Coordinates of all heavy atoms in Angstrom, one line a residue:
M1 N 148.8 124.3 87.1 CA 147.7 123.5 86.9 C 147.8 122.8 85.5 O 148.2 123.5 84.5 CB 146.4 124.3 86.9 CG 145.2 123.6 86.7 SD 143.8 124.6 87.0 CE 142.7 123.5 87.7
T2 N 147.5 121.5 85.5 CA 147.7 120.8 84.2 C 146.3 120.7 83.5 O 145.3 121.1 84.1 CB 148.2 119.4 84.5 OG1 147.2 118.7 85.2 CG2 149.5 119.4 85.2
A3 N 146.3 120.2 82.3 CA 145.1 120.1 81.5 C 144.2 119.0 82.1 O 143.0 119.1 82.0 CB 145.4 119.8 80.1
L4 N 144.8 118.0 82.8 CA 144.0 117.0 83.4 C 144.1 117.2 84.9 O 145.1 116.9 85.5 CB 144.5 115.6 83.0 CG 144.5 115.3 81.5 CD1 145.1 114.0 81.2 CD2 143.0 115.2 81.0
D5 N 143.0 117.7 85.4 CA 143.0 117.8 86.8 C 142.3 116.6 87.4 O 141.1 116.3 87.2 CB 142.2 119.1 87.2 CG 142.3 119.4 88.7 OD1 143.1 118.8 89.4 OD2 141.7 120.4 89.1
T6 N 143.0 115.8 88.2 CA 142.5 114.5 88.8 C 141.7 114.7 90.0 O 141.2 113.8 90.6 CB 143.6 113.5 89.0 OG1 144.5 114.1 89.8 CG2 144.2 113.2 87.6
R7 N 141.6 115.9 90.5 CA 140.9 116.2 91.8 C 139.4 116.3 91.5 O 139.1 117.2 90.7 CB 141.5 117.4 92.5 CG 142.9 117.3 93.0 CD 143.3 118.5 93.7 NE 143.3 119.6 92.7 CZ 143.1 120.9 92.9 NH1 142.9 121.2 94.2 NH2 143.1 121.8 92.0
T8 N 138.6 115.5 92.1 CA 137.2 115.7 92.0 C 136.7 115.5 93.4 O 137.1 114.7 94.1 CB 136.5 114.6 91.1 OG1 136.8 113.3 91.6 CG2 136.9 114.7 89.7
S9 N 135.9 116.4 93.7 CA 135.3 116.3 95.1 C 133.8 116.6 95.0 O 133.4 117.4 94.2 CB 136.0 117.3 96.0 OG 135.7 118.7 95.6
L10 N 133.1 116.0 95.8 CA 131.7 116.2 95.9 C 131.5 117.2 97.1 O 131.8 116.9 98.2 CB 130.9 114.9 96.2 CG 130.9 114.0 95.0 CD1 130.2 112.7 95.4 CD2 130.2 114.6 93.8
S11 N 131.0 118.3 96.8 CA 130.7 119.2 97.9 C 129.4 118.8 98.5 O 128.5 118.2 97.9 CB 130.6 120.6 97.3 OG 129.5 120.8 96.5
P12 N 129.3 119.0 99.8 CA 128.1 118.6 100.5 C 126.8 119.3 99.9 O 125.7 118.8 100.0 CB 128.3 119.1 102.0 CG 129.8 119.2 102.1 CD 130.3 119.5 100.7
A13 N 127.0 120.5 99.3 CA 125.8 121.2 98.7 C 125.3 120.3 97.5 O 124.1 120.4 97.3 CB 126.3 122.5 98.3
S14 N 126.1 119.6 96.8 CA 125.6 118.9 95.7 C 125.0 117.6 96.1 O 124.2 117.0 95.3 CB 126.7 118.6 94.7 OG 127.7 117.7 95.3
V15 N 125.2 117.1 97.3 CA 124.6 115.9 97.8 C 123.2 116.2 98.5 O 122.3 115.4 98.4 CB 125.5 115.2 98.8 CG1 124.9 114.0 99.4 CG2 126.8 114.8 98.1
R16 N 123.1 117.3 99.1 CA 121.9 117.6 99.9 C 120.6 117.6 99.1 O 119.6 117.1 99.5 CB 122.1 119.0 100.6 CG 123.0 118.9 101.7 CD 123.0 120.2 102.5 NE 124.1 120.1 103.5 CZ 125.0 121.1 103.6 NH1 125.0 122.2 103.0 NH2 126.0 121.0 104.5
P17 N 120.6 118.2 97.9 CA 119.3 118.1 97.2 C 118.8 116.7 96.9 O 117.6 116.4 97.1 CB 119.6 118.8 95.9 CG 120.7 119.7 96.1 CD 121.5 119.0 97.1
A18 N 119.7 115.8 96.6 CA 119.2 114.4 96.4 C 118.7 113.8 97.7 O 117.7 113.1 97.7 CB 120.4 113.6 95.8
L19 N 119.4 114.1 98.8 CA 119.0 113.5 100.0 C 117.6 114.1 100.4 O 116.7 113.5 100.9 CB 120.0 113.8 101.1 CG 119.6 113.4 102.5 CD1 119.4 111.9 102.6 CD2 120.7 113.8 103.5
G20 N 117.5 115.5 100.2 CA 116.2 116.1 100.5 C 115.1 115.6 99.7 O 114.0 115.4 100.2
L21 N 115.4 115.3 98.4 CA 114.3 114.8 97.5 C 113.9 113.4 98.0 O 112.7 113.1 98.0 CB 114.9 114.7 96.1 CG 113.9 114.3 95.1 CD1 112.7 115.3 95.0 CD2 114.6 114.3 93.7
R22 N 114.9 112.6 98.4 CA 114.5 111.2 98.9 C 113.7 111.3 100.2 O 112.7 110.6 100.4 CB 115.8 110.4 99.2 CG 116.4 110.0 97.9 CD 117.5 109.0 98.2 NE 118.6 109.8 98.8 CZ 119.9 109.5 98.8 NH1 120.2 108.3 98.2 NH2 120.8 110.2 99.4
V23 N 114.0 112.2 101.1 CA 113.3 112.4 102.3 C 111.8 112.9 102.0 O 110.9 112.4 102.6 CB 114.0 113.4 103.3 CG1 113.1 113.7 104.5 CG2 115.3 112.8 103.8
A24 N 111.8 113.8 101.1 CA 110.4 114.3 100.7 C 109.6 113.2 100.1 O 108.4 113.1 100.3 CB 110.6 115.5 99.8
N25 N 110.2 112.4 99.2 CA 109.4 111.3 98.6 C 109.0 110.3 99.6 O 107.9 109.7 99.5 CB 110.3 110.7 97.5 CG 110.4 111.5 96.3 OD1 109.6 112.4 96.0 ND2 111.4 111.2 95.4
A26 N 109.8 110.0 100.6 CA 109.4 109.1 101.6 C 108.3 109.7 102.5 O 107.4 108.9 102.8 CB 110.6 108.8 102.5
A27 N 108.3 111.0 102.7 CA 107.2 111.6 103.5 C 105.9 111.5 102.7 O 104.9 111.3 103.2 CB 107.6 113.0 103.8
V28 N 106.0 111.7 101.4 CA 104.8 111.7 100.5 C 104.3 110.2 100.5 O 103.0 110.0 100.6 CB 105.1 112.2 99.1 CG1 104.0 111.9 98.2 CG2 105.4 113.7 99.2
A29 N 105.2 109.3 100.4 CA 104.7 107.9 100.4 C 104.0 107.5 101.7 O 103.0 106.8 101.7 CB 105.9 107.0 100.1
V30 N 104.5 107.9 102.8 CA 103.9 107.7 104.1 C 102.6 108.3 104.2 O 101.5 107.8 104.7 CB 104.8 108.1 105.3 CG1 104.1 108.1 106.6 CG2 106.0 107.2 105.4
G31 N 102.5 109.6 103.7 CA 101.2 110.3 103.7 C 100.2 109.6 102.8 O 99.0 109.6 103.1
N32 N 100.6 109.1 101.6 CA 99.7 108.4 100.8 C 99.2 107.1 101.4 O 98.0 106.8 101.3 CB 100.4 108.1 99.4 CG 100.6 109.3 98.5 OD1 99.9 110.4 98.8 ND2 101.5 109.2 97.6
L33 N 100.1 106.4 102.1 CA 99.7 105.2 102.7 C 98.7 105.5 103.8 O 97.6 104.8 103.9 CB 100.9 104.5 103.3 CG 100.6 103.2 104.2 CD1 99.9 102.2 103.3 CD2 101.8 102.7 104.8
A34 N 98.9 106.6 104.6 CA 98.0 107.0 105.7 C 96.7 107.3 105.1 O 95.6 107.0 105.6 CB 98.6 108.1 106.5
A35 N 96.7 108.0 104.0 CA 95.4 108.5 103.3 C 94.7 107.3 102.8 O 93.4 107.2 103.0 CB 95.7 109.5 102.2
R36 N 95.4 106.3 102.2 CA 94.7 105.1 101.7 C 94.1 104.3 102.8 O 93.0 103.8 102.7 CB 95.7 104.2 100.9 CG 95.9 104.7 99.5 CD 96.6 103.7 98.7 NE 97.5 102.9 99.4 CZ 98.8 102.9 99.2 NH1 99.4 103.7 98.4 NH2 99.6 102.1 100.0
L37 N 94.8 104.1 104.0 CA 94.3 103.4 105.1 C 93.1 104.1 105.7 O 92.1 103.4 106.1 CB 95.4 103.2 106.1 CG 96.5 102.2 105.8 CD1 97.5 102.2 106.8 CD2 95.9 100.8 105.7
F38 N 93.1 105.4 105.8 CA 92.0 106.2 106.3 C 90.8 106.0 105.5 O 89.7 105.8 105.9 CB 92.4 107.6 106.5 CG 91.2 108.5 107.0 CD1 90.7 108.4 108.3 CD2 90.5 109.3 106.2 CE1 89.7 109.1 108.8 CE2 89.4 110.0 106.6 CZ 89.0 110.0 107.9
R39 N 91.0 106.1 104.1 CA 89.9 106.0 103.2 C 89.2 104.6 103.3 O 88.1 104.4 103.3 CB 90.3 106.3 101.7 CG 89.2 106.3 100.8 CD 89.6 106.6 99.4 NE 90.4 105.5 98.9 CZ 91.5 105.6 98.2 NH1 91.9 106.8 97.8 NH2 92.1 104.5 97.8
A40 N 90.1 103.5 103.3 CA 89.6 102.2 103.5 C 88.8 102.0 104.8 O 87.8 101.4 104.7 CB 90.8 101.2 103.4
W41 N 89.3 102.6 105.9 CA 88.6 102.5 107.1 C 87.2 103.2 107.0 O 86.2 102.6 107.5 CB 89.4 103.1 108.3 CG 88.7 103.2 109.5 CD1 88.5 102.2 110.4 CD2 88.2 104.4 110.1 NE1 87.8 102.7 111.5 CE2 87.6 104.1 111.3 CE3 88.1 105.7 109.7 CZ2 87.0 105.0 112.2 CZ3 87.5 106.7 110.5 CH2 87.0 106.3 111.7
R42 N 87.2 104.4 106.4 CA 85.9 105.2 106.3 C 85.0 104.4 105.4 O 83.8 104.3 105.7 CB 86.2 106.5 105.7 CG 85.1 107.5 105.7 CD 85.3 108.8 105.0 NE 85.7 108.5 103.6 CZ 86.7 109.1 103.0 NH1 87.4 110.0 103.6 NH2 86.9 108.8 101.7
N43 N 85.4 103.8 104.3 CA 84.6 103.1 103.4 C 84.1 101.8 104.0 O 83.0 101.4 103.7 CB 85.3 102.8 102.1 CG 85.5 104.1 101.3 OD1 84.8 105.1 101.5 ND2 86.4 104.1 100.3
R44 N 84.9 101.2 104.9 CA 84.4 100.0 105.6 C 83.2 100.3 106.5 O 82.3 99.6 106.6 CB 85.6 99.4 106.4 CG 85.3 98.1 107.1 CD 86.5 97.5 107.6 NE 87.4 97.0 106.6 CZ 87.3 95.8 106.0 NH1 86.4 95.0 106.4 NH2 88.1 95.5 105.1
R45 N 83.3 101.5 107.1 CA 82.1 101.9 107.9 C 80.9 102.1 107.1 O 79.8 101.7 107.5 CB 82.4 103.2 108.7 CG 83.4 103.1 109.8 CD 83.5 104.4 110.6 NE 83.6 105.5 109.7 CZ 83.4 106.8 110.1 NH1 83.1 107.0 111.4 NH2 83.5 107.8 109.2
E46 N 81.0 102.6 105.9 CA 79.9 102.8 105.0 C 79.4 101.5 104.5 O 78.2 101.3 104.3 CB 80.3 103.6 103.8 CG 80.7 105.1 104.1 CD 79.6 105.8 104.8 OE1 78.4 105.6 104.4 OE2 79.9 106.6 105.7
V47 N 80.2 100.5 104.3 CA 79.8 99.1 103.9 C 79.0 98.5 105.1 O 78.0 97.8 104.8 CB 81.0 98.2 103.5 CG1 80.5 96.8 103.4 CG2 81.5 98.7 102.2
Y48 N 79.4 98.8 106.3 CA 78.6 98.3 107.4 C 77.2 98.9 107.4 O 76.2 98.3 107.8 CB 79.2 98.6 108.8 CG 80.4 97.6 109.0 CD1 81.6 98.2 109.3 CD2 80.3 96.3 109.0 CE1 82.7 97.3 109.6 CE2 81.3 95.4 109.3 CZ 82.5 96.0 109.6 OH 83.6 95.1 109.8
R49 N 77.1 100.1 107.0 CA 75.7 100.8 106.8 C 74.9 100.1 105.7 O 73.7 100.0 105.8 CB 75.9 102.3 106.5 CG 76.3 103.1 107.7 CD 76.2 104.5 107.3 NE 76.6 105.3 108.5 CZ 76.9 106.6 108.4 NH1 76.8 107.2 107.2 NH2 77.3 107.3 109.4
L50 N 75.6 99.6 104.7 CA 74.9 98.9 103.7 C 74.2 97.6 104.2 O 73.2 97.2 103.8 CB 75.8 98.5 102.5 CG 76.3 99.6 101.6 CD1 77.3 99.0 100.6 CD2 75.1 100.2 100.9
G51 N 74.8 97.1 105.2 CA 74.3 95.9 105.9 C 72.9 96.1 106.5 O 72.1 95.2 106.8
E52 N 72.6 97.4 106.8 CA 71.3 97.7 107.4 C 70.2 97.8 106.4 O 69.0 97.9 106.7 CB 71.4 99.1 108.1 CG 72.4 99.1 109.3 CD 72.7 100.5 109.8 OE1 72.1 101.4 109.3 OE2 73.5 100.6 110.8
M53 N 70.6 97.7 105.1 CA 69.5 97.8 104.0 C 68.9 96.4 103.8 O 69.4 95.4 104.2 CB 70.2 98.2 102.7 CG 70.9 99.6 102.7 SD 71.8 99.9 101.2 CE 70.5 100.7 100.3
S54 N 67.7 96.5 103.3 CA 67.0 95.2 103.0 C 67.6 94.6 101.8 O 68.3 95.2 101.0 CB 65.5 95.5 102.8 OG 65.3 96.2 101.6
D55 N 67.2 93.3 101.6 CA 67.7 92.6 100.4 C 67.3 93.3 99.1 O 68.0 93.3 98.1 CB 67.3 91.2 100.4 CG 68.1 90.4 101.5 OD1 69.2 90.9 102.0 OD2 67.6 89.3 101.9
A56 N 66.1 93.8 99.1 CA 65.5 94.4 97.9 C 66.3 95.7 97.6 O 66.5 96.0 96.4 CB 64.0 94.7 98.1
Q57 N 66.6 96.5 98.7 CA 67.3 97.7 98.5 C 68.8 97.4 97.9 O 69.3 98.1 97.1 CB 67.4 98.5 99.7 CG 66.1 99.1 100.2 CD 66.2 99.7 101.6 OE1 66.9 99.1 102.5 NE2 65.5 100.8 101.8
L58 N 69.3 96.3 98.5 CA 70.7 95.9 98.0 C 70.6 95.5 96.5 O 71.5 95.8 95.7 CB 71.3 94.8 98.8 CG 71.7 95.2 100.2 CD1 72.1 93.9 101.0 CD2 72.9 96.1 100.2
A59 N 69.5 94.8 96.2 CA 69.4 94.3 94.8 C 69.2 95.5 93.8 O 69.6 95.5 92.7 CB 68.2 93.4 94.6
D60 N 68.6 96.6 94.3 CA 68.4 97.8 93.5 C 69.8 98.4 93.1 O 69.9 99.0 92.1 CB 67.6 98.8 94.2 CG 66.1 98.5 94.2 OD1 65.7 97.6 93.4 OD2 65.4 99.1 95.0
I61 N 70.7 98.3 93.9 CA 72.1 98.8 93.6 C 73.0 97.7 93.1 O 74.2 98.0 93.0 CB 72.7 99.6 94.8 CG1 72.9 98.7 96.0 CG2 71.8 100.8 95.2 CD1 73.6 99.3 97.2
G62 N 72.5 96.5 92.8 CA 73.3 95.5 92.2 C 74.1 94.7 93.1 O 75.1 94.1 92.7
L63 N 73.7 94.6 94.4 CA 74.5 93.8 95.4 C 73.6 92.8 96.1 O 72.4 92.9 96.0 CB 75.1 94.8 96.5 CG 76.1 95.8 96.0 CD1 76.5 96.8 97.1 CD2 77.3 95.2 95.4
T64 N 74.2 91.8 96.7 CA 73.5 90.9 97.5 C 74.2 90.9 98.9 O 75.2 91.4 99.1 CB 73.7 89.5 97.0 OG1 75.0 89.0 97.0 CG2 73.1 89.4 95.5
R65 N 73.5 90.3 99.9 CA 74.0 90.3 101.2 C 75.3 89.4 101.3 O 76.2 89.8 102.0 CB 72.9 89.7 102.2 CG 73.3 89.9 103.6 CD 72.1 90.1 104.5 NE 71.1 91.0 104.1 CZ 71.1 92.3 104.3 NH1 72.1 92.8 104.9 NH2 70.1 93.0 103.9
G66 N 75.4 88.5 100.4 CA 76.6 87.6 100.3 C 77.8 88.5 99.9 O 78.9 88.2 100.3
D67 N 77.6 89.4 99.0 CA 78.6 90.3 98.6 C 79.2 91.1 99.8 O 80.4 91.3 99.9 CB 78.2 91.3 97.5 CG 77.7 90.7 96.3 OD1 78.1 89.5 96.0 OD2 76.9 91.3 95.6
L68 N 78.3 91.6 100.6 CA 78.8 92.3 101.8 C 79.6 91.4 102.7 O 80.6 91.8 103.3 CB 77.6 92.8 102.6 CG 76.7 93.8 101.9 CD1 75.5 94.3 102.7 CD2 77.5 95.0 101.4
H69 N 79.2 90.1 102.9 CA 79.9 89.2 103.7 C 81.3 88.9 103.1 O 82.3 88.8 103.9 CB 79.2 87.9 103.9 CG 78.0 88.0 104.7 ND1 78.1 88.1 106.1 CD2 76.7 88.0 104.5 CE1 76.9 88.3 106.6 NE2 76.0 88.2 105.6
V70 N 81.4 88.9 101.8 CA 82.7 88.7 101.2 C 83.7 89.8 101.5 O 84.8 89.6 101.9 CB 82.6 88.6 99.6 CG1 83.9 88.7 98.9 CG2 81.9 87.3 99.3
V71 N 83.2 91.1 101.4 CA 84.1 92.2 101.6 C 84.3 92.4 103.1 O 85.4 93.0 103.5 CB 83.6 93.5 101.0 CG1 83.5 93.4 99.5 CG2 82.3 94.0 101.5
W72 N 83.4 92.0 104.0 CA 83.7 92.1 105.4 C 84.8 91.2 105.8 O 85.5 91.4 106.8 CB 82.4 91.7 106.2 CG 81.4 92.8 106.2 CD1 81.6 94.2 106.1 CD2 80.0 92.7 106.4 NE1 80.4 94.8 106.2 CE2 79.4 93.9 106.3 CE3 79.2 91.5 106.6 CZ2 78.0 94.1 106.5 CZ3 77.8 91.7 106.7 CH2 77.3 93.0 106.7
Q73 N 85.1 90.1 105.1 CA 86.1 89.1 105.4 C 87.5 89.6 104.9 O 88.5 89.1 105.2 CB 85.8 87.8 104.8 CG 84.5 87.1 105.2 CD 84.5 86.9 106.7 OE1 85.6 86.5 107.3 NE2 83.5 87.1 107.4
S74 N 87.6 90.7 104.1 CA 88.8 91.2 103.6 C 89.6 91.9 104.6 O 89.1 92.3 105.7 CB 88.5 92.2 102.4 OG 87.9 93.3 102.9
P75 N 90.9 91.9 104.4 CA 91.8 92.6 105.4 C 91.5 94.1 105.6 O 90.9 94.7 104.7 CB 93.2 92.5 104.8 CG 93.1 91.4 103.8 CD 91.7 91.4 103.3
I76 N 91.9 94.6 106.7 CA 91.5 96.0 107.1 C 92.0 97.0 106.1 O 91.3 97.9 105.8 CB 92.1 96.3 108.5 CG1 91.4 95.4 109.6 CG2 91.9 97.8 108.9 CD1 89.9 95.7 109.8
G77 N 93.2 96.9 105.6 CA 93.7 97.9 104.7 C 93.1 97.9 103.3 O 93.4 98.7 102.5
V78 N 92.3 96.9 102.9 CA 91.7 96.8 101.6 C 90.4 97.6 101.6 O 89.6 97.5 102.5 CB 91.4 95.3 101.3 CG1 90.7 95.2 99.9 CG2 92.7 94.5 101.3
D79 N 90.3 98.4 100.6 CA 89.1 99.2 100.4 C 87.9 98.4 100.0 O 87.9 97.8 98.9 CB 89.3 100.4 99.4 CG 88.2 101.4 99.3 OD1 87.2 101.2 100.0 OD2 88.4 102.4 98.7
P80 N 86.9 98.2 100.8 CA 85.8 97.4 100.5 C 84.9 97.9 99.4 O 84.3 97.1 98.6 CB 85.0 97.2 101.8 CG 85.3 98.5 102.5 CD 86.8 98.8 102.2
T81 N 84.9 99.2 99.2 CA 84.0 99.7 98.1 C 84.6 99.4 96.7 O 83.8 99.2 95.8 CB 83.8 101.2 98.2 OG1 85.2 101.9 98.2 CG2 83.1 101.6 99.5
E82 N 85.9 99.3 96.6 CA 86.5 98.9 95.4 C 86.2 97.4 95.1 O 85.9 97.1 93.9 CB 88.0 99.0 95.4 CG 88.5 100.5 95.4 CD 90.0 100.7 95.5 OE1 90.7 99.6 95.5 OE2 90.4 101.8 95.7
Q83 N 86.2 96.6 96.1 CA 85.8 95.2 95.9 C 84.4 95.1 95.5 O 84.1 94.3 94.6 CB 86.1 94.4 97.3 CG 87.5 94.1 97.5 CD 87.6 93.3 98.8 OE1 87.1 93.7 99.9 NE2 88.2 92.1 98.6
L84 N 83.5 95.8 96.2 CA 82.1 95.7 95.8 C 81.8 96.2 94.4 O 81.0 95.6 93.7 CB 81.2 96.6 96.8 CG 81.0 96.0 98.1 CD1 80.2 97.1 99.0 CD2 80.2 94.7 98.1
G85 N 82.6 97.2 94.0 CA 82.5 97.7 92.6 C 82.9 96.6 91.6 O 82.2 96.4 90.6
R86 N 84.0 95.8 91.9 CA 84.4 94.8 91.0 C 83.4 93.6 91.0 O 83.1 93.1 89.9 CB 85.8 94.3 91.5 CG 86.9 95.2 91.1 CD 88.3 94.5 91.3 NE 88.5 94.1 92.7 CZ 89.1 94.9 93.6 NH1 89.5 96.1 93.2 NH2 89.3 94.4 94.8
I87 N 82.8 93.3 92.2 CA 81.8 92.3 92.2 C 80.6 92.6 91.4 O 80.1 91.8 90.6 CB 81.4 92.0 93.7 CG1 82.6 91.3 94.4 CG2 80.2 91.1 93.8 CD1 82.4 91.2 95.9
S88 N 80.1 93.9 91.6 CA 79.0 94.4 90.8 C 79.2 94.4 89.3 O 78.3 94.0 88.6 CB 78.6 95.7 91.4 OG 77.5 96.2 90.7
D89 N 80.4 94.9 88.9 CA 80.7 94.9 87.5 C 80.8 93.5 86.9 O 80.3 93.3 85.8 CB 82.1 95.6 87.3 CG 82.0 97.1 87.5 OD1 80.9 97.7 87.6 OD2 83.1 97.7 87.7
A90 N 81.3 92.6 87.6 CA 81.4 91.2 87.2 C 80.0 90.6 87.0 O 79.7 89.9 86.0 CB 82.2 90.3 88.1
R91 N 79.1 90.9 87.9 CA 77.7 90.4 87.8 C 77.0 91.0 86.6 O 76.3 90.3 85.9 CB 77.0 90.7 89.1 CG 75.6 90.1 89.1 CD 74.9 90.3 90.4 NE 75.6 89.5 91.4 CZ 76.1 89.9 92.6 NH1 76.1 91.2 92.9 NH2 76.7 89.1 93.4
I92 N 77.2 92.3 86.4 CA 76.6 92.9 85.3 C 77.1 92.3 84.0 O 76.3 92.1 83.0 CB 76.8 94.5 85.3 CG1 76.1 95.1 86.5 CG2 76.5 95.1 84.0 CD1 76.4 96.5 86.8
R93 N 78.4 92.1 83.9 CA 78.9 91.5 82.7 C 78.4 90.1 82.4 O 78.1 89.7 81.3 CB 80.5 91.5 82.7 CG 81.1 92.8 82.4 CD 82.6 92.7 82.2 NE 83.3 92.1 83.3 CZ 83.7 92.7 84.4 NH1 83.6 94.0 84.5 NH2 84.4 92.1 85.3
A94 N 78.2 89.4 83.5 CA 77.7 88.0 83.4 C 76.2 88.1 82.9 O 75.8 87.3 82.0 CB 77.8 87.3 84.7
Y95 N 75.4 89.0 83.4 CA 74.0 89.2 83.0 C 74.0 89.5 81.5 O 73.1 89.1 80.8 CB 73.3 90.2 83.8 CG 73.0 89.7 85.3 CD1 72.8 90.7 86.2 CD2 72.9 88.4 85.6 CE1 72.5 90.3 87.6 CE2 72.6 88.0 86.9 CZ 72.4 89.0 87.9 OH 72.1 88.6 89.2
E96 N 74.8 90.5 81.1 CA 74.9 90.9 79.7 C 75.3 89.7 78.8 O 74.7 89.6 77.7 CB 75.8 92.1 79.6 CG 75.3 93.3 80.2 CD 76.3 94.5 80.1 OE1 77.5 94.2 79.8 OE2 75.9 95.6 80.5
T97 N 76.2 88.9 79.2 CA 76.6 87.8 78.4 C 75.4 86.8 78.3 O 75.2 86.3 77.2 CB 77.8 87.1 79.1 OG1 78.9 88.0 79.1 CG2 78.3 85.9 78.2
L98 N 74.7 86.5 79.4 CA 73.6 85.6 79.3 C 72.5 86.2 78.4 O 71.9 85.5 77.6 CB 73.0 85.4 80.7 CG 73.8 84.5 81.6 CD1 73.3 84.4 83.0 CD2 73.9 83.1 81.0
A99 N 72.3 87.5 78.5 CA 71.2 88.2 77.7 C 71.6 88.1 76.2 O 70.7 87.8 75.3 CB 71.1 89.6 78.1
R100 N 72.8 88.1 75.8 CA 73.2 88.0 74.5 C 73.1 86.6 73.9 O 72.7 86.4 72.7 CB 74.7 88.4 74.3 CG 74.9 89.9 74.4 CD 76.4 90.3 74.0 NE 76.6 91.7 74.4 CZ 77.3 92.1 75.5 NH1 77.9 91.1 76.2 NH2 77.5 93.3 75.7
R101 N 73.3 85.6 74.8 CA 73.1 84.2 74.4 C 71.6 83.9 74.1 O 71.3 83.1 73.2 CB 73.7 83.3 75.4 CG 75.1 83.3 75.5 CD 75.7 82.3 76.5 NE 77.1 82.4 76.6 CZ 77.8 81.9 77.6 NH1 77.1 81.2 78.6 NH2 79.1 82.0 77.7
I102 N 70.8 84.5 75.0 CA 69.3 84.2 74.8 C 68.8 84.9 73.6 O 68.0 84.4 72.9 CB 68.6 84.6 76.1 CG1 69.1 83.8 77.3 CG2 67.1 84.5 76.0 CD1 68.5 84.2 78.7
G103 N 69.2 86.2 73.4 CA 68.6 87.0 72.3 C 69.1 86.7 71.0 O 69.1 86.0 70.2

């Protein structure tokens, strides 16, 4: 045997952990996607329930009927409650900005 051994080989055992890790990561990604889609579907049903509320009740939680129509038009995989939260936050910021200008 010489000081420089040019033989290098990859044993199948050294390749398997990397492959297993990639398969596990892919399975987790699919599971996360399924969980996000299920949550979006469940939240969409809850938004439909908001449609049964009166305009005064919607105003109490910072929404309008038009906001509901906007999120109803969104794609199925999009979580409507996140959209409603952004709409409500934007409206609150706009009101606060107006209040600062007046005061």
